[in-house]
Amino acid sequence: MNTPSLNDDLDQTTTPLTSSSPTENDLQNLVQYGLTDAVRDRFAAICAKDSELEPGRVARVDGITTFVHSMSTDYRAVSTFARIAHDDEFEIEPAQPTVGDWVLVRPGQDQDPDELELVLSRTSLLVRKRVMRGKEEGDEQVLAANITTVFIVQAATYFNSNRLEREVALVWGSGAVPVVILSKIDLLEDVDPAEIVEQAQISAPEVDVFAASGITGEGTDPLRQFTEAGSTVVLIGASGVGKSTLVNQLMGDEVMDTGDIRESDARGRHTTVTRQLLPLPNGGILIDTPGIRTIGLVSGSEDALAKTFSEVEQYFGQCKFRDCGHVGEPGCAIAEAIADGRLLESRFESYKRMGRELEHDRTKGVAGAKTDHQRRMRVIAKGHRLKASIEKRKGSS
Ligand SMILES: Nc1nc2c(ncn2[C@@H]2O[C@H](COP(=O)(O)OP(=O)(O)O)[C@@H](O)[C@H]2O)c(=O)[nH]1
Ligand SMILES: [Mg+2]
Ligand SMILES: [Zn+2]
């Protein structure tokens, strides 16, 4: 085995003549930030072509300043010109890096800033629509990328089923797997946690639901199955539900400020860099997000809705009339299912409400169609079409 050199030497990044593409050993350093084999291979391929680039993972974003954990050093890189890198093509439009992104940084020469140049295409992306006050259309807020599991945290003492349905849909839409945690069970007085779990399960069928206390640690052991090496877990939920307390419990250490210590107190200091991507004792990575007050679904979340309400959608196509609107038509399978207790009316109502919101966004068109995500997808599609037509021309000549 090679002896890995400890490159704390900052000069190392500014001497491109001696730099070479990272060895397996160098990349091994990124395992502590959740590196998977697939990501390692992509980094190795890109760095073999351009040895100046330094692979790493985004720990925090502050405007165009991105904090990146790299193999032997951390970067504070500027992301103005960052683009998404697919296997062998780069997107034209700038990318908006987010915590959890796998990226390549080009270290700046002399006085130049370090530049975040490429963002590897994501395996999952958690995006919510920000609800703006006094403005009809909120923009999108990208919360985290390349996550395997999202812990949706709600206080067992303040369980809210509508919010949970939205949170679950948001997560299914991201490509990650939702897990529900009902926190603060030590505060439940005459209620059995199992009862709340049962309630939550109705709003989140097909999702694992746990009850736990971040203070006493009760119920937190089963959560560790989601935090093994190679996994990246994000915690979402309203402010004050106990996310940071759970993080500390899972870390076995006081790493996150809890309670009313303001997040902004620690801003801009180096210590905050290491506080967003938290390596867990059993190998996974934890990301704590600031509280999210409202959960807006981004346009194009229809599939996520279908997954969230699969027990509703299973009746579609079974009504007497093919164009049944499920509003009292004879032979409506939904109405029958509700009547004989196979389907909860409240679930169907939630489904309709969320579906209407998406429909509203879609028909309103303009703003919705210009979401970052859709723009990105269009650019990719265009790239693919172009490539296909070039190959076709080549083939026919
Ligand atoms: N009794 C009890 N209090 C908790 C628990 N988890 C968090 N808290 C308290 O709730 C407040 C908010 O917790 P925090 O972890 O900062 O919530 P966050 O905003 O979701 O990160 C703090 O005062 C915590 O001490 C719990 O499991 N039991
Ligand atoms: Mg917190
Ligand atoms: Zn019907």
Side-chain angles (χ1 to χ4, degrees), residues 184 186-187 213-215 238-245 258-259:
K184 307 195 183 186
D186 57 298
L187 294 179
S213 165
I215 298 275
S239 187
V241 294
K243 297 182 296 298
S244 299
T245 307
T258 59

Side-chain angles (χ1 to χ4, degrees), residues 151 179 181-186 210-227 235 242-243 245-252 282:
F151 286 166
V179 168
I181 303 175
L182 300 163
S183 61
K184 307 195 183 186
I185 49 167
D186 57 298
F210 299 92
S213 165
I215 298 275
T216 66
E218 187 189 350
T220 52
D221 275 346
L223 302 176
R224 295 181 199 277
Q225 65 183 291
F226 304 103
T227 61
L235 285 95
K243 297 182 296 298
T245 307
L246 274 169
V247 168
N248 289 339
Q249 184 64 239
L250 291 167
M251 297 284 296
N282 58 341

Side-chain angles (χ1 to χ4, degrees), residues 204-375:
E206 297 180 59
V207 177
D208 285 332
V209 180
F210 299 92
S213 165
I215 298 275
T216 66
E218 187 189 350
T220 52
D221 275 346
L223 302 176
R224 295 181 199 277
Q225 65 183 291
F226 304 103
T227 61
E228 281 167 4
S231 57
T232 298
V233 178
V234 171
L235 285 95
I236 64 166
S239 187
V241 294
K243 297 182 296 298
S244 299
T245 307
L246 274 169
V247 168
N248 289 339
Q249 184 64 239
L250 291 167
M251 297 284 296
D253 201 359
E254 291 278 319
V255 289
M256 295 307 294
D257 293 336
T258 59
D260 42 30
I261 299 167
R262 292 180 37 227
E263 303 248 322
S264 56
D265 292 347
R267 274 181 89 184
R269 275 196 273 128
H270 182 76
T271 48
T272 45
V273 178
T274 44
R275 291 170 58 219
Q276 289 259 304
L277 279 187
L278 306 165
L280 287 162
N282 58 341
I285 297 292
L286 211 59
I287 298 173
D288 186 17
T289 62
I292 308 173
R293 205 168 301 136
T294 55
I295 304 289
L297 296 183
V298 295
S299 48
S301 298
E302 282 80 5
D303 288 348
L305 206 63
K307 178 97 183 136
T308 308
F309 295 94
S310 57
E311 94 273 29
V312 175
E313 290 214 345
Q314 68 175 317
Y315 297 108
F316 290 0
Q318 293 179 25
C319 304
K320 184 171 167 202
F321 300 115
R322 260 179 61 193
D323 60 348
C324 185
H326 324 298
V327 284
E329 292 92 333
C332 174
I334 296 271
E336 282 166 10
I338 291 171
D340 60 25
R342 280 172 291 134
L343 179 64
L344 273 179
E345 185 162 17
S346 61
R347 288 281 291 167
F348 182 52
E349 292 302 326
S350 294
Y351 172 85
K352 279 196 295 192
R353 189 171 353 99
M354 286 165 70
R356 270 198 304 270
E357 280 171 27
L358 287 179
E359 180 69 10
H360 175 71
D361 284 354
R362 207 169 54 79
T363 50
K364 216 169 45 176
V366 204
K370 275 195 189 146
T371 63
D372 248 22
H373 182 65
Q374 287 179 333
R375 238 190 339 240

